[in-house]
């Protein structure tokens, strides 16, 4: 069966060229056609000789994700339901702002972590995405909307640090000047807080930003709501985050506020105590409800009160304007095609 060239890294494309008896730099041209010029058609690759194009087309195909459905929210964010080669489905979300055009990508089909408040956990875990399947979400959306993507957040379905090799492969494609040319500083990996994964990030040359879904400042509650917290104690997690903030970039802590769960001022006080000494930004996210989950978003005044309280600290505080909620495209609302109405 013909292999899909999209699934090859630049290095492995170079090996193919050498095997075919061509110069390795031919791989740069091929990579550029695929990832920068977004073509799936060998015949338009005019700077590559006819002979090489013929050889390539006999052995390989170029095939990307397929768009199954595109839904537009009232605030202009757009959710894409995408089909993979094996007919699994994932979702990615386009979030336009004045200067930034961000895509929120999935890194796994489903998620194995079982956070009780997140819709992705409802579908369980199917498999990890390949590097090209992650990068292709951005290329497909960029082509569809004819809008240059400037920022990427690894915050869709799945846990990026459980699939870090492929995420790294995707970053390589995304930041390459002959790929999508997106700066690593404009990319954020969001993790549930896996100690081993953050340790790995600390020791790689990656320059991406780190976001930690802290959410609950009470450790017992955090273990209840996010079962992986049992094996990833807060103390160690915060120690590593501190190190990351000193060695690399300021760390963002996501704080999803859920009604009657973590919406009191004492919860916020405890949060500030935990973050003492860390170069941190706190991103307050009002809970996005899902029809199949029992939790609710607190009243506006309650969220505002917590936000105002956090503003008294020296940290940078942002209140996330929830995007795409009416089409279930907000944080924690992505569930593939499983619950589409
Ligand atoms: N597994 C990664 C990335 C996916 S979740 C992580 O946990 O960070 C992305 C963000 O959405 C996380 O901060 C998570 O806490 C948040 N989230 C999950 N469910 C949510 C919901 N229903 N409403 C608002 N945010 C939610």
């Amino acid at each position: 069966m013909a292999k899909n060239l999209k699934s090859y890294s630049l290095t492995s494309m170079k090996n193919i060229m050498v095997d075919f008896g061509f110069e390795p730099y031919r791989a740069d041209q091929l990579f550029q056609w695929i990832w920068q010029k977004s073509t799936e058609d060998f015949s338009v690759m005019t700077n590559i000789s006819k002979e090489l194009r013929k050889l390539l087309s006999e052995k390989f195909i170029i095939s990307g994700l397929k768009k199954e459905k595109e839904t537009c929210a009232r605030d202009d964010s757009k959710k894409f339901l995408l089909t993979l080669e094996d007919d699994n489905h994932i979702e990615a979300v386009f979030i336009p702002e004045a200067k930034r055009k961000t895509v929120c990508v999935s890194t796994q089909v489903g998620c194995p972590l079982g956070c009780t408040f997140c819709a992705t956990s409802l579908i369980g875990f199917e498999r990890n995405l390949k590097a090209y399947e992650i990068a292709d979400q951005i290329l497909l959306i960029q082509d569809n909307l004819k809008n240059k993507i400037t920022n990427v957040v690894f915050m869709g379905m799945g846990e990026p640090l459980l699939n870090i090799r492929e995420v790294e492969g995707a970053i390589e494609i995304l930041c390459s000047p002959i790929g999508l040319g997106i700066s690593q500083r404009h990319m954020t990996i969001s993790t549930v807080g896996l100690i081993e994964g953050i340790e790995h990030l600390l020791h790689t040359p990656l320059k991406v930003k780190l976001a930690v879904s802290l959410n609950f400042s009470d450790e017992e509650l955090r273990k209840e709501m996010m079962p992986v917290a049992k094996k990833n104690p807060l103390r160690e997690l915060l120690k590593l985050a501190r190190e990351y903030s000193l060695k690399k970039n300021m760390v963002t802590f996501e704080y999803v506020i859920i009604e009657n769960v973590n919406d009191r001022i004492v919860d916020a006080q405890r949060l500030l105590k935990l973050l003492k000494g860390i170069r941190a930004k706190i991103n307050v996210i009002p809970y996005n409800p899902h029809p199949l989950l029992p939790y609710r978003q607190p009243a506006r005044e309650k969220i505002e009160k917590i936000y105002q309280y956090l503003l008294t600290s020296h940290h940078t505080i942002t209140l996330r304007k929830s995007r795409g909620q009416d089409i279930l495209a907000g944080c924690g609302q992505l569930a593939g095609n499983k619950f589409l109405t």
Side-chain angles (χ1 to χ4, degrees):
M1 211 177 94
K3 291 223 175 110
N4 186 1
L5 271 177
K6 272 202 165 165
S7 68
Y8 286 74
S9 66
L10 181 59
T11 312
S12 32
M13 280 187 199
K14 289 196 170 156
N15 293 337
I16 295 174
M17 294 304 168
V18 174
D19 287 349
F20 279 177
F22 285 83
E23 309 90 330
Y25 82 87
R26 294 284 170 202
D28 293 282
Q29 295 174 319
L30 182 62
F31 188 91
Q32 190 167 26
W33 279 110
I34 295 174
W35 289 108
Q36 192 185 72
K37 300 182 183 157
S38 191
T39 184
E40 296 186 353
D41 178 1
F42 291 106
S43 71
V44 303
M45 302 180 181
T46 43
N47 58 355
I48 298 177
S49 71
K50 275 204 176 132
E51 183 199 358
L52 177 55
R53 276 188 268 157
K54 185 163 175 287
L55 274 174
L56 286 171
S57 62
E58 280 165 5
K59 288 240 161 96
F60 299 100
I61 52 161
I62 304 170
S63 167
L65 306 179
K66 302 281 173 285
K67 181 174 89 174
E68 187 80 31
K69 196 171 166 188
E70 177 183 330
T71 327
C72 188
R74 280 191 288 273
D75 63 14
D76 280 341
S77 55
K78 292 187 170 70
K79 180 164 83 165
F80 288 78
L81 176 66
L82 308 170
T83 312
L84 309 173
E85 256 172 308
D86 60 2
D87 285 335
N88 269 308
H89 289 92
I90 50 164
E91 289 179 321
V93 183
F94 170 73
I95 308 156
E97 289 167 289
K99 287 202 181 129
R100 281 188 293 212
K101 309 290 170 219
T102 303
V103 172
C104 172
V105 291
S106 294
T107 53
Q108 298 182 310
V109 183
C111 183
L113 296 178
C115 297
T116 58
F117 52 93
C118 177
T120 308
S121 70
L122 293 170
I123 60 178
F125 175 66
E126 196 61 47
R127 70 169 173 89
N128 280 333
L129 290 182
K130 295 279 177 206
Y132 83 95
E133 293 172 319
I134 301 171
D136 213 22
Q137 297 171 51
I138 293 131
L139 191 60
L140 181 142
I141 292 180
Q142 180 166 281
D143 286 353
N144 261 265
L145 302 178
K146 303 201 175 14
N147 217 329
K148 175 86 186 96
I149 302 304
T150 59
N151 292 62
V152 176
V153 291
F154 297 89
M155 250 180 229
M157 296 163 72
E159 167 57 40
L161 295 188
L162 285 180
N163 186 19
I164 190 63
R165 274 231 203 114
E166 301 298 325
V167 168
E168 283 170 339
I171 292 172
E172 198 180 309
I173 297 170
L174 294 171
C175 73
S176 165
I178 53 167
L180 282 91
I182 302 171
S183 154
Q184 282 193 29
R185 295 181 196 281
H186 292 169
M187 300 183 199
T188 303
I189 290 184
S190 177
T191 175
V192 73
L194 300 179
I195 285 160
E196 226 180 288
I198 300 176
E199 245 160 15
H200 171 85
L201 280 188
L202 252 174
H203 299 109
T204 60
L206 286 185
K207 294 191 180 70
V208 296
K209 291 191 184 146
L210 176 69
V212 176
S213 300
L214 191 65
N215 297 341
F216 309 99
S217 55
D218 177 290
E219 186 151 29
E220 285 315 305
L221 177 64
R222 191 164 191 270
K223 286 181 194 163
E224 240 174 75
M225 304 291 286
M226 305 168 73
V228 316
K230 291 178 196 153
K231 290 203 177 124
N232 294 270
L234 265 184
R235 244 180 85 94
E236 253 179 273
L237 172 60
L238 294 168
K239 193 168 149 252
L240 270 181
R242 183 166 184 276
E243 209 178 322
Y244 197 95
S245 77
L246 292 172
K247 246 175 107 173
K248 298 206 167 188
N249 297 305
M250 181 188 278
V251 175
T252 297
F253 290 89
E254 285 138 322
Y255 190 74
V256 177
I257 314 188
I258 307 176
E259 186 181 63
N260 295 335
V261 176
N262 60 350
D263 60 351
R264 296 163 308 167
I265 289 292
V266 289
D267 297 302
Q269 279 168 342
R270 223 185 294 110
L271 174 68
L272 291 185
K273 224 166 149 189
L274 289 178
L275 299 187
K276 237 185 186 155
I278 304 180
R279 239 167 28 98
K281 180 174 141 184
I282 304 173
N283 192 357
V284 177
I285 311 175
Y287 182 69
N288 292 318
H290 190 279
L292 293 176
L293 294 172
Y295 305 102
R296 284 192 303 261
Q297 185 173 109
R300 201 69 220 167
E301 307 80 67
K302 235 174 181 174
I303 294 169
E304 190 61 29
K305 215 167 131 193
I306 293 208
Y307 175 60
Q308 290 302 335
Y309 171 75
L310 291 174
L311 281 178
T312 62
S313 74
H314 66 276
H315 299 296
T316 308
I317 315 291
T318 52
L319 176 60
R320 188 178 291 177
K321 254 196 288 158
S322 213
R323 304 290 306 247
Q325 251 196 78
D326 52 321
I327 56 166
L328 294 185
C331 292
Q333 293 182 310
L334 302 183
N337 65 340
K338 290 284 198 293
F339 309 112
L340 289 182
T341 45

